[in-house]
Amino acid sequence: MNHICEQVHECENEGSEALAPVDILVIGGGVNGLAVAREASSRGWLAAVVDAEDFGAGTSGASSRLIHGGIRYLENLEFHLVRESLRERERLLQTAPHLVKPFPLLIPFYRHNQRSGFMVRVGMFLYDVLSFDKSTPLHKPLSKAEVEVKYPGLEPDDLYGAVLYYDAQVANAERLCVEQALDVSSFGGRVHNHLKVTGLNQSEGGVNVQLTDTLTGRQLVQPARVVVNASGPWVDMVLSHSMHESARLIGGTKGSHMTVGPFPGAPKTGVHYEAVSDGRAILVLPLPDGNYLIGSTDIFFEGDPAEAVMTDEEIAYLLKEVNTLIPQAGLTARSVVHTISGVRPLPYSPKAKTAAQVSRNHHVSVHPTIKSLFSISGGKLTTHRALGEMAMNVVETHTTPRSSRAPWRRIFPSGSSGTKHLKLPGARCADWGLFQKDFLEQTKLSPSAARRLLGLYGVRAARIEELICADPSLGAPLPSHKDTVGAEVVLAVREEFARTLIDIVARRMLLSWCDDAGLKAVEAVAEIAARELQWDEQRVHQEIEAYRQWIRHRRPRVMEDTAIMLSNLAKYPTSMKKSEQ
């Protein structure tokens, strides 16, 4: 410990501020990193978690938003991964019912498919067997006639049947990250976004991690007995800040999705089908707001994951495949509302010929020379809790307890994980269905606004009402978003760790997913946030501009429409003014 203090003191002399030591520091505030920190906290470790951006800002927020068992993994004989995924899917349906909902999907059988209907039915039988303890229905085979009645928009040629099965959807995936961060904090842990790792140094008592606050420039050093690098596709980049060499761990693939509005022939359930051009799995997924999420691509990716964007080629590929499946859809590039793109943190697999061949399993690696440093590769949205549990089991196996005569102190009974049955903060009530009913009956908010709050915050929607009672002005809706309230901004800042306008609009309130990309509300949000965070006029302007720059990466149609309108106004100012008169 004296050695740690000496190194911290050296850092202080270089202008870095020393933070109080922690048992474990988790680098990465995505769903997996937060799951590790939550698991550690529940076991009695003093945990801290840091992220260079914000919670859910990377891969977690760019997913298909499905909580699924991974039926495709059966092709690679990854039965353990499928069983784990299905078990975790059921757990999330119970521990996060406000965020995770049962979701039906259709797999149509076409004669041009690479996988026959018989093989799919065998896979679905195994899927049901491996999910023997589920609460969702068993899969159901459908004849061609039944498909044509229930899904009249699908291409009928070469169609000879289908199966309908259930997985789950988490439309507001970013909120899974936020609620885990709330738990880490409630267990006494420390939660920090916008802290970037700039150095990793071994010490006698563990690891010293140099950090830079990307918003203020403040230099910090965090001593930790153990460090878990769960930074997703940035794992190797984080390790590069150590003077010790390590083997490459991540071979990421880029997955891109796009959203479109309702279209002719659109299905009422999700559709999971094979692309005609290459046999890849394509998903057409209804979202709660009425739009459709379509994806994803799977492309080997090199470079900074923060620069991953959906290309014109990816958009054209998905549009062509959806229009082939649903001929009357008539989707074009102008149909795309916005796009998302992220890099999957898959294990480095140099022998894999295609991205689909790379395993979706997760692994924990011990650094070859820094024995208190662990790194995670792989992992997906569905299995984040199981990954956190597995990672902490590995860490505890390799780490000596604080007292060699006593095991790690656990808040929950020894021998069982504290997170297996632990509900997320938004689901902590005796009966979620009854809470919803009572809230909708008693609230003074409009029914649509109340339902939106329940879907985002769960039982914590009651906190929104408390804030409105204390300041009725916070009950006013934001411009062009009648189901929002200003109190959400206050909650995001006071209780949900939001530090920027992007944090609030994109990952607390999820307005970036709206057709206007949240742009019509940002000024009103910034005004409320400015009061909470003491922003001056210049900072408000910077935050609004930063949001506009950030949202451009999603290629929102609303920005293209605005650019076209301004261009036309510049070309024909007189005629435009006359028409307005």
Side-chain angles (χ1 to χ4, degrees):
M1 188 66 191
N2 290 335
H3 188 64
I4 293 179
C5 292
E6 290 171 4
Q7 291 205 10
V8 171
H9 183 66
E10 290 174 7
C11 291
E12 284 186 295
N13 291 339
E14 296 172 3
S16 295
E17 177 185 342
L19 299 174
V22 294
D23 294 330
I24 182 170
L25 173 68
V26 180
I27 301 170
V31 71
N32 289 320
L34 286 161
V36 175
R38 184 175 183 242
E39 181 71 25
S41 297
S42 76
R43 296 185 182 199
W45 291 61
L46 176 57
V49 59
V50 298
D51 192 277
E53 284 295 324
D54 185 30
F55 310 121
T59 306
S60 299
S63 69
S64 296
R65 298 176 181 258
L66 285 181
I67 301 296
H68 64 94
I71 187 172
R72 287 175 290 160
Y73 308 155
L74 292 173
E75 288 186 316
N76 296 333
L77 304 181
E78 295 180 296
F79 297 108
H80 170 74
L81 179 58
V82 174
R83 170 57 189 155
E84 179 184 61
S85 300
L86 291 167
R87 186 176 60 236
E88 291 302 311
R89 182 192 71 185
E90 184 61 27
R91 283 202 176 111
L92 282 166
L93 286 168
Q94 306 304 320
T95 60
H98 58 305
L99 296 174
V100 180
K101 315 283 186 182
F103 190 73
L105 292 120
L106 182 87
I107 301 180
F109 301 158
Y110 286 98
R111 300 196 186 282
H112 56 71
N113 286 356
Q114 296 179 12
R115 301 158 189 85
S116 69
F118 173 76
M119 290 304 298
V120 174
R121 283 193 290 265
V122 170
M124 291 310 310
F125 172 76
L126 291 173
Y127 208 57
D128 282 341
V129 169
L130 291 169
S131 58
F132 59 88
D133 51 354
K134 66 183 176 183
S135 58
T136 52
L138 297 173
H139 84 276
K140 180 182 178 181
L142 299 177
S143 67
K144 177 179 179 178
E146 289 175 313
V147 176
E148 289 178 339
V149 170
K150 296 180 179 179
Y151 296 83
L154 297 190
E155 171 60 60
D157 290 349
D158 288 335
L159 177 72
Y160 62 95
V163 292
L164 184 69
Y165 73 103
Y166 276 79
D167 266 322
Q169 184 183 61
V170 55
N172 301 317
E174 294 86 347
R175 298 293 309 178
L176 275 180
C177 297
V178 172
E179 293 212 11
Q180 289 193 90
L182 288 169
D183 257 356
V184 174
S185 180
S186 70
F187 282 132
R190 303 170 195 165
V191 178
H192 303 288
N193 49 4
H194 303 285
L195 282 188
K196 184 177 182 179
V197 173
T198 54
L200 292 166
N201 300 307
Q202 187 172 15
S203 69
E204 185 177 318
V207 184
N208 284 343
V209 182
Q210 279 73 48
L211 303 164
T212 298
D213 188 316
T214 60
L215 301 181
T216 66
R218 187 176 165 210
Q219 302 293 310
L220 306 164
V221 60
Q222 175 65 74
R225 297 188 63 225
V226 171
V227 171
V228 175
N229 176 13
S231 53
W234 289 273
V235 160
D236 292 318
M237 296 176 70
V238 168
L239 292 177
S240 70
H241 292 296
S242 166
M243 293 183 294
H244 304 268
E245 292 187 5
S246 59
R248 180 175 176 179
L249 297 177
I250 302 297
T253 68
K254 183 177 74 165
S256 298
H257 299 76
M258 62 189 187
T259 63
V260 299
F263 56 91
K268 294 182 180 179
T269 73
V271 177
H272 174 183
Y273 70 103
E274 279 191 24
V276 174
S277 61
D278 58 8
R280 260 198 55 75
I282 303 292
L283 298 166
V284 179
L285 308 172
L287 293 170
D289 64 2
N291 286 343
Y292 285 77
L293 182 67
I294 299 172
S296 76
T297 57
D298 198 6
I299 304 168
F300 285 118
F301 183 85
E302 300 289 340
D304 186 350
E307 297 176 359
V309 295
M310 192 173 195
T311 63
D312 290 340
E313 291 75 18
E314 289 176 286
I315 292 174
Y317 164 76
L318 291 175
L319 288 173
K320 180 180 178 181
E321 292 297 340
V322 175
N323 286 332
T324 300
L325 175 73
I326 306 172
Q328 59 183 299
L331 297 174
T332 68
R334 287 288 303 143
S335 306
V336 178
V337 178
H338 46 67
T339 70
I340 54 172
S341 191
V343 179
R344 305 174 182 93
L346 303 181
Y348 180 53
S349 305
K351 295 182 179 179
K353 294 180 180 179
T354 65
Q357 292 178 347
V358 182
S359 172
R360 265 51 176 176
N361 212 341
H362 42 253
H363 308 272
V364 179
S365 305
V366 183
H367 195 281
T369 56
I370 305 177
K371 299 304 180 184
S372 297
L373 175 59
F374 303 81
S375 293
I376 293 175
S377 55
K380 58 195 184 79
L381 196 66
T382 305
T383 55
H384 67 273
R385 193 217 61 83
L387 181 149
E389 178 182 87
M390 182 268 287
M392 286 309 302
N393 288 342
V394 172
V395 167
E396 290 188 348
T397 299
H398 286 80
T399 308
T400 304
R402 281 164 286 190
S403 169
S404 60
R405 294 172 293 179
W408 291 107
R409 177 177 66 84
R410 290 175 184 262
I411 291 176
F412 295 90
S414 181
S416 65
S417 169
T419 61
K420 272 184 180 174
H421 307 291
L422 182 64
K423 292 180 179 181
L424 286 176
R428 288 201 186 126
C429 62
D431 187 323
W432 167 239
L434 181 60
F435 179 88
Q436 289 184 91
K437 180 177 179 293
D438 290 345
F439 186 84
L440 290 170
E441 288 177 352
Q442 299 170 15
T443 184
K444 295 181 180 179
L445 298 167
S446 70
S448 58
R451 282 192 291 269
R452 176 182 169 277
L453 293 181
L454 288 168
L456 281 177
Y457 307 98
V459 300
R460 297 179 64 249
R463 285 286 301 124
I464 300 287
E465 286 212 307
E466 290 175 9
L467 290 169
I468 294 173
C469 286
D471 182 355
S473 69
L474 295 175
L478 300 172
S480 299
H481 293 271
K482 63 182 179 61
D483 294 335
T484 63
V485 290
E488 294 179 70
V489 182
V490 175
L491 185 78
V493 173
R494 292 183 187 177
E495 300 184 15
E496 295 187 339
F497 321 108
R499 298 180 62 195
T500 71
L501 189 61
I502 299 173
D503 295 348
I504 300 168
V505 177
R507 291 179 289 270
R508 302 306 184 277
M509 300 178 70
L510 281 296
L511 297 183
S512 59
W513 285 88
C514 297
D515 286 2
D516 75 335
L519 291 167
K520 294 179 181 178
V522 291
E523 292 185 6
V525 173
E527 182 180 346
I528 299 171
R531 295 198 296 267
E532 292 292 315
L533 294 166
Q534 279 75 57
W535 292 342
D536 58 21
E537 187 175 341
Q538 181 181 4
R539 176 66 184 274
V540 168
H541 176 76
Q542 290 172 346
E543 290 289 330
I544 293 173
E545 184 56 32
Y547 182 80
R548 293 181 183 277
Q549 291 293 336
W550 176 82
I551 205 68
R552 283 191 176 94
H553 284 282
R554 297 171 67 104
R555 304 177 60 160
R557 187 177 63 195
V558 64
M559 278 194 159
E560 293 181 15
D561 290 344
T562 301
I564 292 171
M565 182 189 71
L566 292 175
S567 175
N568 289 336
L569 185 63
K571 292 178 183 177
Y572 311 108
T574 305
S575 60
M576 291 286 287
K577 287 179 181 178
K578 286 181 179 179
S579 65
E580 288 174 2
Q581 294 173 352

